[in-house]
Amino acid sequence: FNKEQSITEEERSARESLKDIVKYLRQKGRLPIGEKKDESILSLRKELQISNLACLKDIVPNGAFRMANNAVDPYVLGAWIIMCQNTADSQRIYPQFDVLQINQLINEIKSIMRNPNANIQKELKETMACYGIDFSVVKNFRGAPVQGYINQKKDKTYQMVLTIRGAYADIFWFSLFHELGHIVNGDIGKTNKFVDDGSDEEKEAAADLFARDKIIDKDKYTEFVNGHDYSIEAIKKFAESQKVMPYMVIGRLQKEKYLDYKCFSRYKLRYKWAE
């Protein structure tokens, strides 16, 4: 029986959707280069450990997502989820996540944010591992407009994946704190089918609130805003008092319409995807 005879038309159309993923996996040396379409379908099955690419759309996300509301391609999203799961670290023994240590973890995350020489991906991975979170950054693809994925592993530790979607640094850090909010709020443990696509408004609002108030103290922020001094000097001084970078304060002031989006744009940092 020739394996290629088992390829369905639906798989061929799924393969069309997966062009960017195929290209990426070839660059990474995980798929052979120069294969014919049907051959590449068989290679993809093997890489994604799936018997038929059409099944990708049935992968019920047993994790939490933070979506940007763009068109979702179910094949791309399914493949992306598998790629996330494949980055899970099975070598290291992680301690249990302890919600009582969250402020300690947040202080350590903030010091990584503020260190201009930090290798962010590496240092976040190391730091979060000490708190029971297997952290990684996975490339994003058109069709899977996801900012984050969280999954509770069998041993009750968490896997958290973030993407850098052409993101400004303030969005990256806010997303990270937002995902932490989902863990702290118990959104993932209670059910394995919690999809953070923005549809559960209550959970989203709670995670946003957590992120907002852990990044910048609520009362201090109110005090700052009531002072009506939004000069860069004042912003820098306030950011310093909150142990965050000025772009976190600028981003929030812009979002809440105290500042125009063009204002202080040279202080806003963009992160590029790094392998």
Side-chain angles (χ1 to χ4, degrees):
F1 176 68
N2 179 347
K3 270 198 166 161
E4 288 187 21
Q5 288 171 329
S6 71
I7 294 173
T8 61
E9 280 314 305
E10 191 186 346
E11 271 195 289
R12 292 192 176 97
S13 90
R15 165 67 181 81
E16 268 311 291
S17 294
L18 297 167
K19 287 200 293 272
D20 290 351
I21 287 185
V22 169
K23 188 176 154 192
Y24 171 73
L25 290 171
R26 282 176 175 165
Q27 285 167 350
K28 302 294 290 166
R30 303 220 308 257
L31 284 183
I33 290 166
E35 285 185 314
K36 293 195 179 74
K37 275 263 158 72
D38 281 4
E39 291 170 342
S40 76
I41 289 174
L42 301 178
S43 297
L44 252 182
R45 283 182 189 172
K46 203 171 149 191
E47 168 65 24
L48 298 173
Q49 298 166 347
I50 198 161
S51 58
N52 183 316
L53 297 185
C55 301
L56 286 171
K57 69 178 188 310
D58 305 324
I59 291 178
V60 180
N62 59 341
F65 291 83
R66 182 159 164 74
M67 301 282 255
N69 298 322
N70 302 17
V72 172
D73 182 309
Y75 301 116
V76 178
L77 186 54
W80 185 83
I81 291 167
I82 291 175
M83 287 165 72
C84 286
Q85 290 167 343
N86 289 348
T87 64
D89 181 357
S90 53
Q91 308 305 311
R92 187 193 299 236
I93 306 295
Y94 287 81
Q96 289 279 309
F97 174 79
D98 179 358
V99 81
L100 297 175
Q101 295 186 321
I102 190 68
N103 289 337
Q104 221 169 305
L105 170 57
I106 281 168
N107 289 337
E108 291 188 40
I109 290 172
K110 283 183 174 183
S111 68
I112 295 171
M113 177 205 292
R114 292 169 73 212
N115 175 3
N117 306 314
N119 176 338
I120 290 170
Q121 276 171 242
K122 185 170 171 289
E123 290 182 33
L124 280 176
K125 191 170 184 62
E126 290 299 318
T127 299
M128 292 189 34
C130 302
Y131 292 87
I133 300 171
D134 173 2
F135 176 81
S136 52
V137 175
V138 167
K139 187 174 169 58
N140 62 288
F141 297 93
R142 192 181 299 124
V146 183
Q147 280 167 348
Y149 164 89
I150 309 175
N151 186 31
Q152 194 170 31
K153 299 192 203 176
K154 287 190 178 65
D155 64 1
K156 293 280 196 286
T157 60
Y158 292 95
Q159 181 195 5
M160 181 195 287
V161 176
L162 278 194
T163 60
I164 296 177
R165 305 177 57 255
Y168 282 104
D170 59 315
I171 295 172
F172 172 81
W173 292 107
F174 189 86
S175 291
L176 176 60
F177 279 80
H178 174 102
E179 301 304 343
L180 275 177
H182 281 306
I183 293 179
V184 170
N185 296 343
D187 294 340
I188 293 95
K190 290 178 197 142
T191 160
N192 255 359
K193 293 199 178 91
F194 171 52
V195 181
D196 184 358
D197 56 3
S199 61
D200 190 325
E201 287 175 20
E202 211 176 303
K203 284 177 178 164
E204 284 302 287
D208 275 350
L209 196 66
F210 172 89
R212 206 186 70 188
D213 294 345
K214 289 296 184 189
I215 292 168
I216 297 173
D217 178 274
K218 193 168 73 179
D219 299 335
K220 296 277 190 282
Y221 180 73
T222 306
E223 212 174 287
F224 175 72
V225 168
N226 290 343
H228 302 293
D229 178 0
Y230 307 135
S231 64
I232 193 63
E233 289 72 26
I235 287 170
K236 282 180 172 173
K237 191 177 166 194
F238 179 61
E240 181 66 32
S241 78
Q242 295 300 302
K243 297 189 164 53
V244 295
M245 291 298 282
Y247 55 68
M248 298 305 294
V249 179
I250 293 167
R252 176 145 172 206
L253 290 170
Q254 289 174 339
K255 190 171 171 25
E256 294 180 5
K257 311 251 190 308
Y258 291 109
L259 286 178
D260 188 86
Y261 270 105
K262 294 187 195 72
C263 205
F264 301 135
S265 54
R266 68 192 183 94
Y267 291 96
K268 293 191 81 176
L269 201 63
R270 274 196 108 120
Y271 286 152
K272 279 211 167 62
W273 163 252
E275 296 301 324

